[in-house]
Each structure stands twice: as structure tokens, then as C-alpha cells.
Amino acid sequence: MTKHPKNFYNLLLVIDDLCRTSLKKLDDYQNKIEGSDIKKDFYNIDFVYIHSIILDMAKLISVTKSDKSGLKQLKKDSPQIFKDRISNFEKKYKNIIDKITINRNKIIAHVDISDKGSYFNMGFSEIEIDTKIESYKKLLEFQGGLDSDGSKVIEDLKKLRSKSTKDERYSPSDFSKEIDNLRALANEVLEIAHGINKYYYDKNQHA
């Protein structure tokens, strides 16, 4: 008889909740926050949601060694066929997992202003920098146009571009382009977790 691993149902419950919570927050961000007037009433609500989603996703994919209720624990408690599937999942989403890991670590550690690698010192994506530059240029138009000081600010903004994708700080400009990938990631973890549950259930039924 092939029994479910000890505490498997608790693990499944946590993973299910993290997946569904992340998916709901992604929907809320895309449909109720992005491009809406709600940002005028709630300070930085777009960043608040982005940070919340990133932290939930980080728990889900177990980005730290101390995580005992995410994908790493699920992999440990899986039959070989699902261990292989999770390994393929980790390869498939490697770039996103790396970026979530970096962002999670820096969000948690950003209060350390002496840390050169703090969240506030992470680079921005090209899309975000271009957006900031365009917004700044529009502001300058109302103030009489571009001068030497304005040109220097623009050059300083360009220096904030991230050197690599994984070191990018998630920002509203580029986060929206990542939503479909994050949604696919959460749905796939959900499918794997329930697939493992069904595997053990079927084994028990035919034992």
C-alpha cells in the first residue's frame, strides 16, 4: 500500500492556498489596479500588490533553504515521475524563479541602507527606465524644456538600468508583462500538487 507522505495534506493545503491567493492577486492587479484611478486613492498600491505577489510566489517555489511548505518539500515527498516533472518545471521557469528569488531577498532586506545590494539599489528594466525618462521629459516641457541639468538627470536615469534580467527590480511597467508567466507558473504548481495527491490516492484505491 502506497500511503501519502506524512503531513502531505497540510503541504497540499498550503500550496493550494498560495497558488489560488497568488492567482487572485494577479487578477486583481491586472483588472482592478493596473491603469485604474484606484492608485490615486491608495498610495503605492501597485507596488504593494507586486511585493505581496512576489513574496507569496517565493514561498510557493521555496526560494530559501528554510522553506518547508513549498515546491522543494513537495519534490521531496513526490514519487520519481513527479520529481522529474518538478525538475523540468524548475528548468522551464529558471529565469523567473531567479528573479523572484532576488526580488524576495531584497524586499526583505531593503531596510539595511548600508547594503550595496539592497532592494533600492537594484536596477530597473529597460521598459521602466524608458517610462521614467519619458515622464521626466514631459515634466520638463511644462518647466520650459530640456537644459543641462535635465540632460544630466536623464543620463543618471539611464545608469539605473539593470545589468541582467534576474537583477531587475519588479516595477509596474514591466510587471504587467510578466503576469501571464506568473499565472502559468502558479497554475502548473497547482496541477503538479494535485497530480501527486491523485497519484497516491489511486495507489491506495488499488492496493
Side-chain angles (χ1 to χ4, degrees):
M1 185 174 181
T2 306
K3 295 183 178 180
H4 284 75
K6 184 180 179 181
N7 293 325
F8 178 82
Y9 286 116
N10 289 335
L11 176 61
L12 180 63
L13 184 65
V14 171
I15 288 176
D16 189 274
D17 181 64
L18 284 171
C19 285
R20 296 186 190 283
T21 299
S22 296
L23 289 168
K24 182 64 173 69
K25 288 179 183 177
L26 286 168
D27 285 344
D28 284 347
Y29 183 88
Q30 193 170 42
N31 300 318
K32 298 179 181 179
I33 296 174
E34 188 179 36
S36 75
D37 291 335
I38 195 172
K39 290 187 286 186
K40 297 178 181 178
D41 299 321
F42 295 92
Y43 178 72
N44 266 0
I45 190 170
D46 43 359
F47 278 103
V48 170
Y49 256 74
I50 289 172
H51 290 186
S52 179
I53 291 167
I54 293 307
L55 294 178
D56 279 348
M57 287 283 190
K59 294 176 194 173
L60 179 62
I61 57 180
S62 309
V63 302
T64 71
K65 293 180 180 179
S66 61
D67 287 325
K68 302 295 183 184
S69 57
L71 198 63
K72 285 181 183 176
Q73 186 64 39
L74 189 66
K75 188 176 184 179
K76 180 180 177 182
D77 293 339
S78 298
Q80 189 59 49
I81 187 172
F82 280 96
K83 287 184 191 294
D84 294 341
R85 183 171 175 184
I86 292 172
S87 292
N88 290 332
F89 169 92
E90 291 169 335
K91 292 175 184 175
K92 177 181 177 182
Y93 291 101
K94 184 181 184 305
N95 290 339
I96 296 176
I97 290 173
D98 285 347
K99 188 169 180 178
I100 289 173
T101 302
I102 295 280
N103 273 263
R104 177 264 174 203
N105 291 343
K106 301 311 180 184
I107 290 170
I108 295 297
H110 81 276
V111 293
D112 181 4
I113 60 173
S114 66
D115 180 7
K116 291 183 179 179
S118 75
Y119 182 73
F120 291 112
N121 287 327
M122 290 177 72
F124 292 91
S125 70
E126 186 172 350
I127 295 171
E128 178 67 11
I129 293 301
D130 288 345
T131 300
K132 289 179 181 294
I133 289 174
E134 286 306 309
S135 296
Y136 183 64
K137 284 180 177 178
K138 288 179 181 177
L139 175 64
L140 290 177
E141 287 179 7
F142 289 107
Q143 298 177 344
L146 185 66
D147 56 15
S148 59
D149 288 337
S151 296
K152 184 180 183 305
V153 170
I154 290 174
E155 289 305 311
D156 287 341
L157 284 171
K158 290 178 180 179
K159 292 176 184 176
L160 295 177
R161 284 195 176 100
S162 174
K163 294 179 180 178
S164 66
T165 303
K166 73 175 185 178
D167 292 323
E168 286 176 3
R169 174 180 172 181
Y170 272 120
S171 301
S173 314
D174 50 89
F175 185 77
S176 60
K177 297 183 181 297
E178 197 82 278
I179 286 178
D180 286 343
N181 290 328
L182 293 172
R183 187 179 283 123
L185 183 152
N187 276 319
E188 194 162 337
V189 173
L190 196 61
E191 185 180 321
I192 290 171
H194 284 280
I196 295 170
N197 183 42
K198 186 175 185 303
Y199 171 90
Y200 284 119
Y201 176 81
D202 289 345
K203 288 287 185 181
N204 290 336
Q205 290 295 103
H206 296 95

